[in-house]
């Protein structure tokens, strides 16, 4: 890998934590420069502006989430365990700070709602990928006769995402992981009561 590429990836990695913690508006270019330990000119050798850094940083943070999810799903033996493994990833996000700032989709969706259309679009694309993966788990669960055939995968996805992301938000707001744990428990109960074939 060339030195320029190494520097660019360093800027993205360091900026990702800053943007995911402080948001686009809260993270200044001077903070990015300080955190990266690179002069202003060094930043501009690789990025035209703060927007370009923010988009690359979001992509990096989202790729980290996908990596955590993929690893968690490797050890799950059935569809219910896969859904619960996703919940566990979000518990770990809060309790171990495995990704600085928490969920980048949630953080970006809230901050960029009206103020930054490109970041909002990026968060929408990321959420679509997450929904597709979650839907696939549910559909396979139906096909494997683990889940009831009458359940609506889209409805289940909406519920699980809303509950888990709500738990992340409450846990971040109150600095207390009990909220994400309560929400993960609610997802488990939902699966047991509404989805599983008994």
């Amino acid at each position: 890998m060339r030195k320029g590429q190494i520097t660019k990836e360093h800027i993205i990695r360091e900026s990702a934590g800053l943007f995911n913690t402080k948001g686009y508006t809260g993270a200044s270019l001077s903070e990015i420069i300080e955190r990266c330990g690179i002069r202003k000119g060094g930043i501009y050798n690789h990025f035209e502006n703060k927007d370009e850094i923010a988009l690359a940083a979001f992509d990096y943070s989202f790729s980290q989430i996908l990596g955590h999810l993929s690893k968690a799903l490797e050890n799950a033996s059935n569809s219910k365990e896969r859904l619960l493994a996703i919940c566990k990833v979000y518990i770990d996000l809060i309790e171990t700070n495995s990704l600085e700032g928490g969920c980048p989709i949630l953080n970006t969706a809230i901050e960029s709602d009206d103020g930054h259309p490109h970041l909002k679009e990026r968060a929408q694309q990321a959420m679509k990928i997450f929904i597709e993966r979650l839907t696939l788990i549910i559909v396979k669960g139906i096909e494997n006769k683990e889940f009831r055939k009458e359940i609506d995968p889209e409805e289940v996805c909406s519920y699980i995402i809303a509950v888990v992301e709500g738990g992340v938000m409450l846990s971040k707001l109150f600095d207390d992981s009990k909220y994400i744990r309560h929400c993960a428990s609610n997802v488990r109960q939902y699966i047991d009561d509404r989805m599983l074939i008994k």
Side-chain angles (χ1 to χ4, degrees):
M1 193 181 289
R2 292 190 327 233
K3 186 180 177 189
Q5 187 60 31
I6 291 169
T7 302
K8 184 173 184 176
E9 288 183 8
H10 171 71
I11 295 167
I12 292 169
R13 243 186 347 265
E14 292 301 320
S15 299
L18 193 59
F19 281 117
N20 205 32
T21 304
K22 293 190 144 196
Y24 175 81
T25 308
S28 68
L29 193 56
S30 61
E31 285 176 304
I32 293 169
I33 290 165
E34 183 182 334
R35 183 162 172 156
C36 293
I38 296 172
R39 293 190 179 124
K40 192 174 185 178
I43 299 282
Y44 285 117
N45 280 341
H46 301 283
F47 298 96
E48 285 187 23
N49 51 40
K50 183 178 158 185
D51 281 9
E52 205 173 274
I53 301 170
L55 292 170
F58 176 82
D59 290 345
Y60 174 79
S61 292
F62 181 57
S63 74
Q64 295 299 106
I65 284 277
L66 289 179
H68 290 305
L69 290 170
S70 294
K71 190 173 178 184
L73 294 175
E74 282 174 9
N75 301 318
S77 61
N78 59 47
S79 298
K80 176 184 175 179
E81 282 188 18
R82 285 184 185 90
L83 294 178
L84 295 177
I86 290 169
C87 293
K88 179 76 172 82
V89 166
Y90 283 87
I91 290 170
D92 289 345
L93 273 184
I94 298 299
E95 293 186 344
T96 68
N97 201 28
S98 56
L99 187 61
E100 186 181 355
C103 178
I105 303 174
L106 176 66
N107 295 340
T108 304
I110 290 169
E111 189 198 21
S112 67
D113 186 25
D114 295 312
H116 200 297
H118 295 298
L119 270 174
K120 180 179 181 178
E121 183 183 325
R122 202 60 65 95
Q124 286 174 337
Q125 291 168 354
M127 184 56 81
K128 283 178 185 172
I129 291 168
F130 187 40
I131 289 169
E132 284 168 11
R133 292 186 180 200
L134 200 52
T135 300
L136 190 60
I137 293 169
I138 296 161
V139 168
K140 284 203 181 235
I142 294 168
E143 288 171 357
N144 294 338
K145 296 187 174 28
E146 297 172 59
F147 298 151
R148 299 172 187 170
K149 66 178 185 218
E150 64 271 14
I151 64 171
D152 179 351
E154 186 178 351
E155 183 183 314
V156 173
C157 278
S158 297
Y159 175 81
I160 292 174
I161 290 168
V163 170
V164 169
E165 293 287 18
V168 169
M169 184 272 295
L170 287 168
S171 290
K172 294 291 287 177
L173 183 64
F174 292 110
D175 294 317
D176 192 337
S177 66
K178 74 179 180 184
Y179 298 101
I180 185 60
R181 287 193 167 274
H182 292 164
C183 291
S185 178
N186 285 335
V187 169
R188 178 186 290 275
Q189 197 66 52
Y190 181 90
I191 294 167
D192 288 345
D193 292 348
R194 307 270 306 270
M195 294 172 65
L196 284 182
I197 294 175
K198 296 178 182 176

Short mmCIF file of all heavy atoms in Angstrom, two decimals, residues 3 18 94:
data_model
loop_
_atom_site.label_atom_id
_atom_site.label_comp_id
_atom_site.label_asym_id
_atom_site.label_seq_id
_atom_site.Cartn_x
_atom_site.Cartn_y
_atom_site.Cartn_z
N LYS A 3 2.12 5.17 0.51
CA LYS A 3 2.08 6.06 1.67
C LYS A 3 0.84 6.97 1.64
O LYS A 3 0.19 7.18 2.65
CB LYS A 3 3.35 6.90 1.73
CG LYS A 3 3.44 7.74 2.98
CD LYS A 3 4.69 8.56 3.02
CE LYS A 3 4.67 9.43 4.27
NZ LYS A 3 5.75 10.41 4.28
N LEU A 18 -14.60 10.67 15.35
CA LEU A 18 -14.94 12.05 15.67
C LEU A 18 -16.35 12.40 15.17
O LEU A 18 -17.17 12.93 15.92
CB LEU A 18 -13.90 12.99 15.04
CG LEU A 18 -13.88 14.43 15.49
CD1 LEU A 18 -13.63 14.55 16.98
CD2 LEU A 18 -12.81 15.19 14.72
N ILE A 94 -22.71 -0.61 22.94
CA ILE A 94 -22.91 0.25 24.12
C ILE A 94 -21.94 -0.13 25.23
O ILE A 94 -21.27 0.73 25.81
CB ILE A 94 -24.37 0.15 24.63
CG1 ILE A 94 -25.35 0.64 23.56
CG2 ILE A 94 -24.54 0.91 25.93
CD1 ILE A 94 -25.20 2.07 23.14
#
